């Protein structure tokens, strides 16, 4: 298995992309700390991992709270004895035009996205030194030609891409690789968006060369597992679109 004896922390792993990543990491032998706000969802993910023969730990965590993040990292290290992989997935999304998005929504997007990513990377740094991998999540929304309705969301995600590049540049010498993925996946959030924006969703899917949205585990999670493995040992500081070829990231 690609990740045997590795220990991973995945935020927002109770559903959607985070759950898909957690399942895929566990399938490759990693022990996974599954974090999020709703214990029932976390326990469901952990149960699926255990049914497949894996090892998982559910931890309720509010990524907007620095104290909660610190407690979570300490709990992971205490339970599993270390930490090798960090996946920053959880984020509240501020969607809408600039006039529609209020400051509170934008603040929540900032605190749960770039600030939480910044905090967790620094908290995990001492444990990741030597052979650590960080995978952050951004969005190809930042590459849209028409940013109407996506400015606040894209701003928080583009900040994460900048933090990722900085970590890759500064921590590569410490044996830590840091990359960011930009996925399209069949998450509950995307399902809600499709239901509420059917015409835009139809055009969106038509703009994907492969004409489909990715599966959270099969398309996103498995790639992340490979990215965290020795097969990707020389991949660092990259923004990787997992989107069926839709966005050009050059």
């Amino acid at each position: 298995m690609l990740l045997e004896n590795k220990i991973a922390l995945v935020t927002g792993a109770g559903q959607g992309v985070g759950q898909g990543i957690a399942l895929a990491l566990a399938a490759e032998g990693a022990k996974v700390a599954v974090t999020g706000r709703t214990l029932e969802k976390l326990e469901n993910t952990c149960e699926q991992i255990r049914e497949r023969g894996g090892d998982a730990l559910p931890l309720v965590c509010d990524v907007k709270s620095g104290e909660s993040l610190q407690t979570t990292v300490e709990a992971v290290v205490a339970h599993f004895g270390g930490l090798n992989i960090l996946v920053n997935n959880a984020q509240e999304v501020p969607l809408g035009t600039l006039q529609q998005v209020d400051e509170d929504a934008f603040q929540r997007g900032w605190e749960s996205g770039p600030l939480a990513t910044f905090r967790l990377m620094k908290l995990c740094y001492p444990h990741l030194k030597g052979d650590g991998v960080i995978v952050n999540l951004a969005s190809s929304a930042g590459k849209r030609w028409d940013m109407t309705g996506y400015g606040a969301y894209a701003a928080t995600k583009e900040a994460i891409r900048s933090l990722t590049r900085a970590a890759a540049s500064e921590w590569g010498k410490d044996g830590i690789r840091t990359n960011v993925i930009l996925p399209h996946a069949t998450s509950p959030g995307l399902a809600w968006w499709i239901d509420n924006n059917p015409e835009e969703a139809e055009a969106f899917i038509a703009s994907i060369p492969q004409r489909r949205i990715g599966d959270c585990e099969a398309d996103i999670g498995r790639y992340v597992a490979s990215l965290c493995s020795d097969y990707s040992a020389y991949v660092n500081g990259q923004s990787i679109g997992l989107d069926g070829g839709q966005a050009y990231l050059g």
Side-chain angles (χ1 to χ4, degrees), residues 144 184 190 193 199-208 213 246:
R144 291 176 65 96
H184 292 335
L190 186 62
W193 179 79
E199 292 184 5
E200 186 178 357
E202 183 178 358
F204 171 78
I205 295 171
S207 72
I208 299 173
I213 297 172
Q246 185 195 52

Side-chain angles (χ1 to χ4, degrees), residues 55 77 120 163 235:
D55 190 358
V77 173
L120 258 185
L163 291 170
V235 181

Side-chain angles (χ1 to χ4, degrees), residues 134-152:
I134 299 171
V135 178
N136 296 325
L137 271 78
S139 171
S140 59
K143 293 294 183 178
R144 291 176 65 96
W145 68 271
D146 180 1
M147 293 293 290
T148 302
Y150 295 92

Side-chain angles (χ1 to χ4, degrees), residues 45-239:
T45 300
C46 290
E47 184 177 348
Q48 291 185 55
I49 291 173
R50 293 176 188 133
E51 286 175 351
R52 301 180 184 188
D55 190 358
L57 173 70
L59 291 170
V60 174
C61 175
D62 177 4
V63 296
K64 298 193 299 296
S65 164
E67 182 179 356
S68 182
L69 292 174
Q70 181 172 350
T71 299
T72 297
V73 173
E74 291 172 351
V76 174
V77 173
H79 183 83
F80 287 124
L83 182 62
N84 310 102
I85 298 167
L86 168 64
V87 179
N88 281 302
N89 165 69
Q91 182 174 355
E92 295 183 32
V93 176
L95 279 180
T97 65
L98 297 181
Q99 291 284 44
Q100 292 169 338
V101 176
D102 61 29
E103 288 191 10
D104 287 341
F106 189 61
Q107 182 74 15
R108 291 193 298 272
W110 169 260
E111 291 178 349
S112 63
L115 184 56
T117 297
F118 174 76
R119 285 169 166 168
L120 258 185
M121 288 198 303
K122 293 183 71 172
L123 285 167
C124 293
Y125 169 82
H127 309 289
L128 296 172
K129 288 178 68 175
D131 66 345
V133 180
I134 299 171
V135 178
N136 296 325
L137 271 78
S139 171
S140 59
K143 293 294 183 178
R144 291 176 65 96
W145 68 271
D146 180 1
M147 293 293 290
T148 302
Y150 295 92
Y153 171 56
T156 63
K157 288 300 191 182
E158 286 295 278
I160 290 173
R161 288 216 301 148
S162 296
L163 291 170
T164 299
R165 184 64 190 172
S169 300
E170 296 172 11
W171 298 349
K173 67 182 184 302
D174 299 320
I176 301 173
R177 294 189 295 110
T178 311
N179 294 286
V180 59
I181 62 169
L182 294 73
H184 292 335
T186 53
S187 66
L190 186 62
W192 177 91
W193 179 79
I194 290 173
D195 288 342
N196 286 271
N197 303 275
E199 292 184 5
E200 186 178 357
E202 183 178 358
F204 171 78
I205 295 171
S207 72
I208 299 173
Q210 291 186 251
R211 297 298 192 273
R212 69 178 181 88
I213 297 172
D215 179 80
C216 291
E217 180 180 359
D219 294 312
I220 311 305
R222 288 178 186 172
Y223 182 83
V224 171
S226 177
L227 187 60
C228 292
S229 76
D230 289 341
Y231 286 143
S232 300
Y234 203 49
V235 181
N236 189 35
Q238 302 305 305
S239 293

